Amino acid sequence: MSQLIFERSVTGRRGIRLPDYDCPAVNLDDTQLRSTTPRLASVSEVDVTRHYMALSRQAFGVDNGFYPLGSCTMKHNPKINDHMASLAGFTGIHPTQNLETVEGALELMDGLQRDLCEVTGMDAFTLQPSAGAHGEFTGLLLIRAYHQSRNDTKRTKVIVPDSAHGTNPASANMAGYSVVSIPSNPQGGVDVEALKAVLSDEIAALMLTNPNTLGLFDPNIAQIADLVHQVGGLLYYDGANLNAIMGQVRPGDMGFDVVHLNLHKTFSTPHGGGGPGSGPVGVKGLLMPFLPEGTLIDKTYPKLPKSIGRMRSYFGNFLVNVRAYTYIQSLGGEGLAEASFMAVLNANYLMERLKAHYPVAYPGTCMHEFVLSLQDLKDSTGVRAMDLCKAMLDNGIHPPTMYFPLIVHEALMIEPTETESKETLDDFADMMIGFKEKAISDPDFFKNAPYTTPVKRVDDVLAARKPILKASL
Ligand SMILES: *Cc1c(COP(=O)(O)O)cnc(C)c1O
């Protein structure tokens, strides 16, 4: 581990030297003066530079190496997006400025909303929500407002398949609904008979990801949509996996009434570590009257009498929207379609290379990701998915998503993304195949991995239950 900045501190050392005052001194009274000096490190500029460089080397991001974290779409984010988002005309404006003085920003947000409508087949978008989960919550409030506006108050339940991302049931719960879980069929899609069995006039909505977190496109989607609509329910589309289908098929055409997108995944803003995101929500016409306050409509922010209210301050995470718009404009419609094509091609290539060595949970053509089960490996060698993942860190690779979806034992969910080369995919496949041989010949090797990272094997339970988030000085 590198030193703390305080451990580098030497009394009196400075990074900058200010010129002598050349203006009259002002006497501040005691109420304006602090009673103790702030505890700051006394360090030189080179100390600070090396400190932050050392910290950055202890972290791992997409710019460091392959990051196949299933569902999270950790793809390369073209640097032009950041360049555009750092233009002074965008960074220098203030959210309380008069709208006439920020027409460029309004133009950009309007253009982005139109593009997102085009990509998803929706009628209107709001850029208010700040993340995928925030979009889910917003979408469910829209659904609730719709049913309430029709005095249809019996609808207290939301259906969520057992392969869903954990945020889906959590959002439904937060929006005041009880969650009805339905099982997946043997092919990994929605079990249509199980769906029929829970459909009634108490159902507010079905939440679905298509392709789902198993990386599978549900071919029964048209029938599923009809069934839900027939009982008066609405369809919510979790669009976090849109990089599998953008430019190919549209949720709006599949029968969905409301969608959220993860601009920080599909539309290319660096994410992870909880950094700024954007989870815009798109709706069909029937939900438009309920859109949040602060939704741009025809380049103004009209009062919306039936609105669900404001979902956040001001206009959403504007600079994430600048990145997304840059990404869409620089790729164009054909470029977006090519990106999703590559995402699916890469995932299938990697799955084909690995399937003889590790069982694929749901064999067949996948979309942008696939799930392996390491249960056999664990049974025969004692090496768990977790152990294998720790060893990847020594190879400069971020592990795939582990132990998710919950319906697959010892799951590894692998999303190579569209931006990786064949060489990178081959290196990963070779590593995984080598790992299997090593797990058989030397299982203990994996129990103690990683060996070369700044922090070695941690006690995961202790780290989660009693995290030490602050140095004791
Ligand atoms: C990432 C993700 C979410 C949640 O998005 P956040 O921006 O992290 O809140 C929801 N559903 C799926 C399928 C996801 O991959």
Side-chain angles (χ1 to χ4, degrees):
M1 291 293 281
S2 61
Q3 276 181 311
L4 300 174
I5 192 83
F6 289 102
E7 290 165 340
R8 289 175 182 257
S9 177
V10 176
T11 310
R13 186 164 289 167
R14 283 286 141 82
I16 49 162
R17 188 167 295 154
L18 295 172
D20 291 338
Y21 301 123
D22 60 358
C23 48
V26 176
N27 282 324
L28 299 173
D29 64 47
D30 283 353
T31 61
Q32 290 168 312
L33 289 174
R34 44 186 310 154
S35 51
T36 53
T37 43
R39 200 165 64 91
L40 295 173
S42 299
V43 283
S44 67
E45 185 171 308
V46 63
D47 289 335
V48 174
T49 306
R50 288 186 183 149
H51 174 68
Y52 281 108
M53 286 307 290
L55 285 181
S56 77
R57 283 196 300 271
Q58 287 177 23
F60 188 93
V62 227
D63 293 348
N64 298 95
F66 190 39
Y67 205 135
L69 190 65
S71 210
C72 294
T73 313
M74 304 303 283
K75 63 186 181 183
H76 171 67
N77 303 294
K79 298 302 170 207
I80 187 175
N81 300 346
D82 289 308
H83 179 62
M84 291 300 145
S86 62
L87 293 180
F90 291 135
T91 57
I93 55 179
H94 193 275
T96 58
Q97 256 173 267
N98 285 337
L99 291 187
E100 308 87 75
T101 65
V102 289
E103 284 184 355
L106 297 180
E107 180 79 32
L108 183 140
M109 291 192 282
D110 182 66
L112 178 60
Q113 290 179 183
R114 281 171 203 277
D115 286 352
L116 297 180
C117 283
E118 179 66 32
V119 172
T120 57
M122 290 288 147
D123 297 324
F125 256 89
T126 175
L127 301 175
Q128 278 260 308
S130 307
H134 199 193
E136 291 169 24
F137 182 55
T138 305
L140 288 162
L141 293 186
L142 293 171
I143 289 172
R144 201 178 66 176
Y146 167 80
H147 291 310
Q148 280 174 354
S149 75
R150 296 156 45 94
N151 286 326
D152 193 352
T153 50
K154 261 202 291 184
R155 299 185 187 273
T156 55
K157 297 175 184 167
V158 167
I159 306 171
V160 181
D162 61 1
S163 63
H165 194 267
T167 49
N168 290 186
S171 301
N173 200 284
M174 273 188 69
Y177 288 111
S178 58
V179 174
V180 181
S181 177
I182 52 166
S184 304
N185 65 21
Q187 293 78 40
V190 170
D191 183 329
V192 175
E193 291 311 314
L195 173 66
K196 283 183 188 161
V198 298
L199 284 176
S200 72
D201 59 2
E202 292 180 5
I203 298 301
L206 166 72
M207 296 182 86
L208 206 63
T209 317
N210 195 23
N212 62 17
T213 55
L214 297 162
L216 301 169
F217 189 87
D218 201 315
N220 300 322
I221 183 58
Q223 186 196 359
I224 292 167
D226 283 347
L227 287 169
V228 175
H229 283 149
Q230 271 162 23
V231 298
L234 298 184
L235 274 97
Y236 182 95
Y237 185 84
D238 174 343
N241 294 331
L242 201 84
N243 68 318
I245 60 157
M246 58 183 174
Q248 316 282 350
V249 287
R250 309 194 307 172
D253 300 334
M254 293 180 216
F256 287 92
D257 303 291
V258 48
V259 314
H260 87 259
L261 300 178
N262 293 55
L263 297 191
H264 46 289
K265 292 177 181 171
T266 312
F267 296 97
S268 204
T269 278
H271 62 289
S278 179
V281 167
V283 295
K284 288 278 180 66
L286 78 173
L287 293 174
M288 271 170 70
F290 312 105
L291 282 169
E293 283 297 332
T295 294
L296 185 69
I297 297 173
D298 295 329
K299 294 194 203 164
T300 65
Y301 291 94
K303 270 259 154 269
L304 299 163
K306 295 184 181 173
S307 168
I308 57 167
R310 191 167 262 289
M311 294 308 293
R312 60 155 287 154
S313 54
Y314 302 118
F315 311 107
N317 264 334
F318 176 62
L319 293 176
V320 179
N321 298 335
V322 174
R323 289 180 179 86
Y325 192 60
T326 306
Y327 181 73
I328 293 171
Q329 292 300 312
S330 53
L331 263 70
E334 281 176 21
L336 292 182
E338 198 182 328
S340 60
F341 180 84
M342 289 304 298
V344 173
L345 181 66
N346 277 356
N348 278 283
Y349 177 75
L350 200 52
M351 184 177 71
E352 285 300 314
R353 280 221 50 198
L354 291 174
K355 72 178 187 190
H357 308 275
Y358 299 93
V360 177
Y362 290 88
T365 308
C366 67
M367 296 295 287
H368 63 304
E369 63 195 5
F370 59 96
V371 180
L372 301 177
S373 170
L374 273 59
Q375 185 65 44
D376 290 354
L377 188 79
K378 182 182 160 192
D379 291 344
S380 58
T381 66
V383 175
R384 300 167 303 158
M386 166 78 92
D387 302 320
L388 215 71
C389 285
K390 297 289 183 192
M392 290 182 199
L393 299 169
D394 286 324
N395 290 265
I397 288 175
H398 192 288
T401 298
M402 281 176 277
Y403 301 105
F404 183 80
L406 303 174
I407 51 178
V408 178
H409 295 295
E410 293 296 315
L412 276 193
M413 181 196 208
I414 303 175
E415 179 181 13
T417 82
E418 57 268 34
T419 55
E420 297 298 336
S421 66
K422 180 170 177 294
E423 289 75 18
T424 302
L425 303 181
D426 281 331
D427 286 347
F428 181 78
D430 293 342
M431 178 194 74
M432 287 290 285
I433 294 164
F435 273 5
K436 185 166 179 195
E437 288 162 16
K438 182 97 180 152
I440 294 164
S441 65
D442 183 9
D444 285 342
F445 170 82
F446 292 94
K447 300 279 157 63
N448 298 316
Y451 297 95
T452 61
T453 50
V455 178
K456 305 287 180 288
R457 177 69 70 113
V458 292
D459 179 332
D460 291 291
V461 176
L462 198 64
R465 293 278 158 80
K466 294 188 179 159
I468 303 169
L469 302 172
K470 186 165 163 279
S472 53
L473 284 172

